[in-house]
Amino acid sequence: MIHTDKLAKTFTVKKETVDAVKGVDIDVAPGELVAFLGPNGAGKSTTLRMLTTLLTPTSGTARVAGVDVTADPAGVRARIGYIGQGNGGGHSFRVIDELVMQGRFYGMNSADALARARELLQSLDLADLAKRTVIKLSGGQRRRMDVALGLMHSPRLLFLDEPSTGMDPQNRANLWEHIMRMREEHGTTIVLTTHYMDEADSMSERVIIIDHGRIIADDTAARLKANLAGDLLAVEVAAASAAGVRGLLGRAAAGGEVSENSYDGVVRFRLRLPEGARLAPGLLLEMHDAGAPAQSLELKPPTLDDVFLELTGRNLREGANR
Amino acid sequence: MAAHGTIAGTREKHGLGRVLHDTRYVFWREMLLPLRDPFSLVFSLLQPLVFLGLFGPLLGAAVGAPAFGGQSTLQWFLPGVVVMIALFGTSMTGSNLQYELMTGSYERILATPLSRSSLMIGRALKEWAPLVVQGLLIALVCIPFGFVFHPLHVVAGLVILGIFGIGLGALSYALALVSQNKEWIFWGVQQTLLFPLMILSGIMLPIEAGPGWMQTASLFNPLTYLVNAERELFAGSVGTDTLLGLLAAAVTAAVGLAVGVKAISRNIR
Ligand SMILES: Nc1ncnc2c1ncn2[C@@H]1O[C@H](COP(=O)(O)OP(=O)(O)OP(=O)(O)O)[C@@H](O)[C@H]1O
Ligand SMILES: [Mg+2]
């Protein structure tokens, strides 16, 4: 559905150049659900804009829905849907009018467009606001309207740039219900960006992590976490017996770092343990046999933030580039 | 949902057919603004009447009939007012776009399959549309004051203004794109160009009354030909002036659209 080859974008602002995207290779198969994850300024929106023909690539190529973005941008636009990072509704227009016109722009007839608009307003909890002007909507309501705009023509390939930003948890869940239903009913291919790690984690099968305009990881969330992060294990032993398990824990961490800090006669070891849930019971027995029984244990499954930290040495939340 | 099928069915058009098809929808979207808020229309209808009522008598008194080529002041002045409304209206096309550039609304529409020219033409025609009502209305109102109304000629004049308006609207659109995030540039350029063009076309005062250099300058102003064409048409005849005006309008439209399409693609670099 999508294939890019060294796709790159350089902006020039007052003779200064910004390499926003530095040659990314992306392959997305029909029906996939892919999330781009990365800090502010990583190049997520720029990548999406190139794929949706809103920006011309500086170099590299991209085929979207079987069409080359530079050779036939109009052909690409006819085959995709796009929900940008900004609000799509015109300020002075009525919500329902914008939705119906959006459908008309994509070639729907007026009866279909009206029916579809009403259906979306209903399910996105906007039915009462149909005749409001856009400027009088709250931030979350506007975002839901954006989603409705993007779903109007039920595209086969949908791009969403931070769709859930500004929505409350209930509406986020609602949005995901829509996205999932579109996939089920139409086999829609979905490419989205998000700042919410839990969202990327639980909803998409595949996560592409972007940092400084480069793809630094591309896999399922589960595999990324298992391969790159591992569970975070914290065990406490009595200070007197700590020396007995240092070597043991070092081997368990398989070359990873083992940190320790001591307080109140207790030493607390922290380490990453791949497949922690499976290995921890055995480790406890070994520690017991080595004369240093664990006094407490904490096992935390890894998050994508841990993956990002592992890859870049920075935290995703505070890791904005610029 | 029938959406998939519908898209395949109607998006096959190419070229001019496609542009006309898309223009309809862009125009219609824009028209929803005044239609949903009809009060704004009432004021836009009154303004030219006020202008005509106040400026017309002064003009007749100050310049005197001979400069108007034998026509009554009203007969001479009214087509000028109609051109002026068209000028003010369509040169504002880009100003409404500025709001949409600030939110994601422009980008959302740019991502649809609408043809790029239709984005400009539809918006320009929306600024032109009220003129049809305004033009006919002032013509009717002026009949009791000695204006001779030739309906078909006036309609032809409005069509020529529409063609010109597409060009000017597209230029205004392009101006809004290049002055994105710097709104003052848009207003500065628009105002700076509008008044000299207007005065050098003889809209308000006959250019024949001015010095020679002004008359020469007016020959390079497309608006001059437009104003002359409108005067000829409003007087009830069709001749060289009308043809030259139509040509000037067509050239403006072609240049405007070329510049506009260029600005749109430059904007995504
Ligand atoms: N039109 C532009 N002109 C100049 N620089 C730009 C432009 N658009 C983006 N950039 C720069 O390119 C880089 C990537 O921006 P981009 O919007 O793609 O980031 P992002 O990953 O979407 O970030 P966010 O999470 O904040 O939305 C940033 O450094 C940004 O400042
Ligand atoms: Mg972004």
Side-chain angles (χ1 to χ4, degrees):
Chain A
M1 207 54 153
I2 300 175
H3 174 80
T4 77
D5 185 29
K6 300 191 187 61
L7 191 66
K9 181 75 196 175
T10 305
F11 292 107
T12 311
V13 186
K14 292 188 178 140
K15 290 185 185 149
E16 272 189 37
T17 57
V18 182
D19 294 318
V21 178
K22 300 171 186 163
V24 295
D25 299 326
I26 302 167
D27 266 294
V28 178
E32 268 196 286
L33 171 48
V34 180
F36 284 136
L37 186 66
N40 288 137
K44 304 183 294 292
S45 297
T46 306
T47 306
L48 242 54
R49 286 207 183 99
M50 286 193 280
L51 296 176
T52 52
T53 77
L54 295 168
L55 281 175
T56 316
T58 311
S59 63
T61 59
R63 289 182 77 78
V64 173
V67 182
D68 188 286
V69 291
T70 359
D72 183 13
V76 172
R77 288 193 286 269
R79 289 169 172 78
I80 62 166
Y82 170 68
I83 297 169
Q85 198 168 354
N87 287 123
H91 271 176
S92 321
F93 292 89
R94 291 187 185 181
V95 173
I96 184 96
D97 288 345
E98 282 288 70
L99 289 176
V100 170
M101 286 319 298
Q102 175 83 350
R104 306 286 273 155
F105 292 168
Y106 281 94
M108 296 169 78
N109 69 38
S110 67
D112 284 351
L114 190 63
R116 175 78 174 140
R118 288 201 194 292
E119 179 193 345
L120 284 169
L121 287 175
Q122 195 67 47
S123 55
L124 284 163
D125 205 12
L126 289 168
D128 295 341
L129 305 174
K131 288 193 175 165
R132 283 255 186 109
T133 47
V134 173
I135 200 161
K136 289 180 185 150
L137 300 181
S138 77
Q141 291 166 342
R142 262 180 232 187
R143 203 59 192 140
R144 276 180 277 153
M145 179 190 169
D146 294 336
V147 172
L149 283 167
L151 297 182
M152 268 304 290
H153 65 295
S154 317
R156 298 227 163 105
L157 169 58
L158 180 63
F159 293 91
L160 305 99
D161 201 350
E162 294 188 25
S164 54
T165 300
M167 287 190 191
D168 59 28
Q170 191 189 335
N171 282 309
R172 263 172 80 185
N174 207 327
L175 165 70
W176 277 102
E177 204 176 292
H178 265 276
I179 294 179
M180 292 308 186
R181 193 174 337 134
M182 276 196 50
R183 284 191 79 195
E184 262 163 45
E185 289 175 5
H186 303 294
T188 312
T189 310
I190 294 164
V191 175
L192 59 95
T193 74
T194 180
H195 273 158
Y196 296 113
M197 273 163 300
D198 53 329
E199 217 167 68
D201 202 339
S202 57
M203 299 303 183
S204 40
E205 292 140 8
R206 184 172 156 201
V207 179
I208 297 183
I209 302 183
I210 301 192
D211 188 37
H212 291 301
R214 279 187 220 286
I215 293 178
I216 54 173
D218 177 356
D219 210 333
T220 65
R223 266 202 298 263
L224 283 174
K225 288 183 296 189
N227 296 348
L228 285 164
D231 304 272
L232 183 67
L233 176 76
V235 279
E236 291 178 338
V237 295
S241 52
V245 289
R246 229 167 241 134
L248 184 68
L249 290 173
R251 279 193 302 282
E257 193 187 330
V258 182
S259 71
E260 43 181 289
N261 49 351
S262 41
Y263 58 94
D264 296 342
V266 176
V267 177
R268 185 178 170 87
F269 292 96
R270 289 157 58 87
L271 60 142
R272 292 258 169 224
L273 196 61
E275 294 187 84
R278 205 170 57 78
L279 295 181
L283 189 65
L284 286 183
L285 280 177
E286 284 183 58
M287 286 169 68
H288 186 271
D289 293 346
Q295 297 186 348
S296 80
L297 171 138
E298 197 184 344
L299 188 65
K300 259 199 296 197
T303 64
L304 285 173
D305 201 10
D306 297 323
V307 173
F308 189 78
L309 183 70
E310 179 66 25
L311 285 167
T312 65
R314 300 196 321 281
N315 209 289
L316 188 52
R317 287 226 180 276
E318 57 210 41
N321 290 344
R322 297 159 230 265
Chain B
M1 272 166 289
H4 282 311
T6 331
I7 295 163
T10 50
R11 296 264 22 129
E12 293 307 315
K13 291 194 186 74
H14 290 289
L16 191 63
R18 171 70 179 284
V19 173
L20 290 177
H21 176 270
D22 291 352
T23 297
R24 245 176 63 209
Y25 295 120
V26 177
F27 172 75
W28 187 238
R29 172 180 184 250
E30 295 303 315
M31 280 309 284
L32 286 171
L33 283 179
L35 291 179
R36 294 285 189 223
D37 200 2
F39 246 122
S40 65
L41 279 178
V42 174
F43 285 107
S44 76
L45 288 182
L46 285 178
Q47 271 164 7
L49 285 177
V50 172
F51 188 79
L52 200 65
L54 292 177
F55 198 77
L58 271 183
L59 183 73
V63 181
F68 304 135
Q71 295 182 325
S72 76
T73 313
L74 202 54
Q75 201 77 32
W76 184 89
F77 189 53
L78 199 143
V81 172
V82 172
V83 176
M84 200 172 68
I85 305 170
L87 202 59
F88 278 118
T90 55
S91 69
M92 292 281 285
T93 302
S95 104
N96 293 330
L97 185 70
Q98 287 184 314
Y99 295 105
E100 307 225 327
L101 282 166
M102 285 184 248
T103 63
S105 172
Y106 173 75
E107 187 175 84
R108 189 254 305 174
I109 290 173
L110 211 58
T112 69
L114 291 173
S115 83
R116 310 290 96 165
S117 316
S118 74
L119 298 178
M120 294 176 280
I121 303 177
R123 279 177 175 271
L125 287 181
K126 176 254 179 174
E127 305 300 337
W128 166 82
L131 179 71
V132 178
V133 185
Q134 286 166 325
L136 294 175
L137 183 81
I138 47 181
L140 287 175
V141 168
C142 288
I143 291 176
F145 301 98
F147 174 74
V148 188
F149 184 30
H150 305 277
L152 286 180
H153 292 80
V154 169
V155 168
L158 291 173
V159 170
I160 293 181
L161 280 178
I163 298 171
F164 174 77
I166 288 173
L168 192 62
L171 289 173
S172 171
Y173 192 102
L175 182 59
L177 285 181
V178 298
S179 55
Q180 194 175 358
N181 306 325
K182 291 164 287 207
E183 286 74 44
W184 57 270
I185 294 187
F186 178 84
W187 294 111
V189 175
Q190 192 245 18
Q191 300 285 320
T192 310
L193 287 180
L194 204 57
F195 282 95
L197 278 178
M198 242 168 68
I199 294 166
L200 283 178
S201 68
I203 285 188
M204 292 189 296
L205 292 164
I207 199 81
E208 288 78 11
W213 68 265
M214 273 185 118
Q215 298 191 23
T216 312
S218 77
L219 293 179
F220 296 95
N221 182 359
L223 209 52
T224 308
Y225 300 97
L226 213 66
V227 175
N228 290 341
E230 297 298 319
R231 292 220 164 102
E232 187 173 73
L233 284 166
F234 273 62
S237 54
V238 180
T240 330
D241 277 350
T242 306
L243 284 178
L244 284 175
L246 184 59
L247 189 67
V251 170
T252 311
V255 171
L257 286 176
V259 171
V261 168
K262 192 122 192 125
I264 292 180
S265 50
R266 209 196 73 128
N267 211 243
I268 60 169
R269 281 250 167 86

